[in-house]
């Protein structure tokens, strides 16, 4: 993998400092990647007048693998979410959000190991039919589910479960009420499940899923669901292991993937050397696994687990009072 070029979007706010930490870690473990730095978000808007410049889109298309810090989409003003734009542009139909318990995080639960696989391009987030009546009294939006889209994400979930030697996939839906859209998703996912007799398949209504995740999260292994439900559930899962600071995300398409920290750009602590770089380090672990570099990803994960468990130079959110650079130094020493 020594000749792999990675597109790097440092992002806004705390983005540059935590992405830099992740790259130091990747270099230390001997990845020998070439990095192509491009801009998106507020940084790009200030430099080019565009949130997502064409040069950035070209680099993502060319290199196929992107590591990305948090981006800020200005609120209102007709700006579309950059993340949504990227997912559409590159058909990144699968959003993969693993959460794993790390000792020392002060999380409320232990022994959590759940992968949420969320359909990334359809459903309520497809942006179809968003209208507000002229008098501002009625608003509408449509959810669109296709059989192809549902099949593709279900196959992805069961293939992931098989590859990661997982035992169970839970199909999360609301087909009891949304008989058309959620019904089609459930029916399709059920058909896919029948092709994987080696993996247990379970169906669960979304509201019950949320309750079960809080009461007995250890029962879950892999969850597959539609866009809106997946957005909510993956954040709920992050809360089980200590928050978004411990939750990475991958957006994966047929030939292109973007790995990212899922938390925001935290402008209030930007430039203060306070941010916990774990989320983007975990995203780079996902990236290494995607590239088949399992030995290197395991080394990084082991080092991260040890830093957090021993409380060695941890950041404030992990109960320490050290900064990003100290935390990174503790990581590098272990590698």
């Amino acid at each position: 993998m020594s000749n792999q070029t990675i597109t790097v979007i440092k992002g806004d706010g705390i983005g540059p400092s935590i992405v830099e930490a992740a790259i130091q870690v990747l270099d230390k473990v001997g990845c020998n990647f070439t990095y192509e730095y491009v801009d998106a978000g507020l940084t790009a808007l200030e430099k080019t007048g565009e949130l997502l410049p064409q040069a950035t889109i070209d680099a993502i298309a060319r290199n196929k693998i992107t590591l990305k810090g948090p981006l800020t989409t200005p609120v209102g003003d007709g700006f579309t979410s950059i993340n949504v734009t990227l997912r559409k542009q590159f058909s990144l139909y699968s959003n993969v959000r693993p959460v794993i318990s790390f000792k020392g995080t002060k999380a409320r639960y232990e022994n959590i190991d759940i992968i949420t696989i969320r359909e990334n391009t359809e459903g309520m987030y497809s942006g179809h039919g968003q209208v507000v009546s002229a008098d501002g009294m009625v608003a509408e939006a449509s959810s669109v589910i296709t059989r192809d889209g549902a099949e593709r994400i279900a196959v992805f979930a069961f293939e992931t479960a098989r590859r990661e030697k997982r035992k169970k996939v839970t199909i999360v839906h609301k087909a009891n009420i949304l008989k058309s859209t959620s019904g089609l998703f459930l029916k399709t996912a059920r058909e896919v499940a029948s092709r994987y007799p080696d993996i247990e398949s379970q169906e669960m209504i979304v509201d019950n899923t949320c309750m079960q995740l809080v009461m007995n999260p250890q029962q879950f292994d892999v969850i597959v669901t539609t866009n809106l439900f997946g957005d909510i559930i993956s954040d709920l899962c992050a809360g089980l292991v200590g928050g978004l600071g411990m939750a990475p995300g991958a957006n994966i398409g047929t030939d292109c993937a973007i790995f990212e920290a899922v938390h925001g750009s935290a402008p209030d602590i930007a430039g203060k050397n306070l941010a916990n770089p774990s989320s983007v380090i975990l995203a780079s672990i996902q990236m290494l696994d995607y590239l088949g570099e399992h030995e290197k990803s395991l080394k990084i994960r082991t080092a991260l687990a040890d830093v957090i468990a021993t409380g060695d130079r941890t950041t404030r959110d992990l109960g320490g009072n050290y900064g990003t650079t100290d935390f990174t130094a503790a990581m590098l020493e272990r590698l």
Side-chain angles (χ1 to χ4, degrees), residues 4 61 79 101 144 153 175 184 194 206 246 275 295 302 316 324-325:
Q4 176 77 49
F79 289 112
S101 296
V144 179
I153 197 68
L184 178 59
S194 69
V206 62
M246 298 307 298
E295 207 175 299
T302 307
R316 287 191 311 193
T324 314
T325 47

Side-chain angles (χ1 to χ4, degrees), residues 192-244:
V192 170
S194 69
R195 296 180 224 156
Y196 294 84
D198 50 320
I199 295 161
E200 185 193 338
S201 154
Q202 176 190 30
E203 296 163 12
M204 201 177 280
I205 293 170
V206 62
D207 31 337
N208 182 34
T209 307
C210 290
M211 180 180 77
Q212 297 288 341
L213 275 166
V214 171
M215 293 184 72
N216 176 23
Q218 286 83 5
Q219 69 183 290
F220 294 96
D221 199 356
V222 175
I223 293 172
V224 64
T225 189
T226 46
N227 209 329
L228 172 63
F229 299 158
D231 194 5
I232 296 164
I233 285 172
S234 57
D235 271 26
L236 196 163
C237 288
L240 304 175
V241 298
L244 291 178

Side-chain angles (χ1 to χ4, degrees), residues 13-151:
I14 58 172
S17 66
I18 59 173
V19 169
E20 194 46 54
I23 284 173
Q24 286 179 5
V25 166
L26 287 169
D27 288 345
K28 183 73 191 252
V29 88
C31 287
N32 303 322
F33 295 135
T34 304
Y35 302 106
E36 182 176 352
Y37 292 93
V38 290
D39 291 317
L42 284 184
T43 314
L45 191 64
E46 285 161 16
K47 286 188 194 172
T48 67
E50 292 179 286
L51 283 174
L52 192 57
Q54 188 59 45
T56 299
I57 292 171
D58 294 344
I60 295 170
R62 189 168 53 245
N63 300 323
K64 310 286 189 216
I65 307 279
T66 301
L67 184 63
K68 168 177 149 328
L71 298 177
T72 309
T73 301
V75 178
D77 302 333
F79 289 112
T80 314
S81 157
I82 306 158
N83 289 338
V84 172
T85 307
L86 287 170
R87 286 165 195 167
K88 283 190 175 163
Q89 175 90 31
F90 295 102
S91 299
L92 304 174
Y93 66 89
S94 181
N95 184 276
V96 184
R97 295 268 303 267
V99 294
I100 295 180
S101 296
F102 283 91
K103 282 192 169 46
T105 49
K106 307 201 178 332
R108 290 169 186 267
Y109 297 88
E110 289 174 1
N111 307 318
I112 306 284
D113 187 352
I114 304 169
I115 304 175
T116 301
I117 294 175
R118 156 193 174 197
E119 203 292 318
N120 225 0
T121 58
E122 299 190 337
M124 276 316 300
Y125 288 15
S126 46
H128 290 289
Q130 297 231 32
V131 287
V132 180
S133 64
D135 60 5
M137 300 301 276
V138 181
E140 270 182 44
S142 335
S143 172
V144 179
I145 300 283
T146 65
R147 175 178 284 280
D148 286 349
E151 178 163 23

Side-chain angles (χ1 to χ4, degrees), residues 150 171 173 175 181-191 203-204:
I171 301 160
H173 65 92
T181 48
S182 219
L184 178 59
F185 177 80
L186 176 60
K187 181 169 182 273
T188 309
R190 208 178 260 167
E191 286 166 13
E203 296 163 12
M204 201 177 280

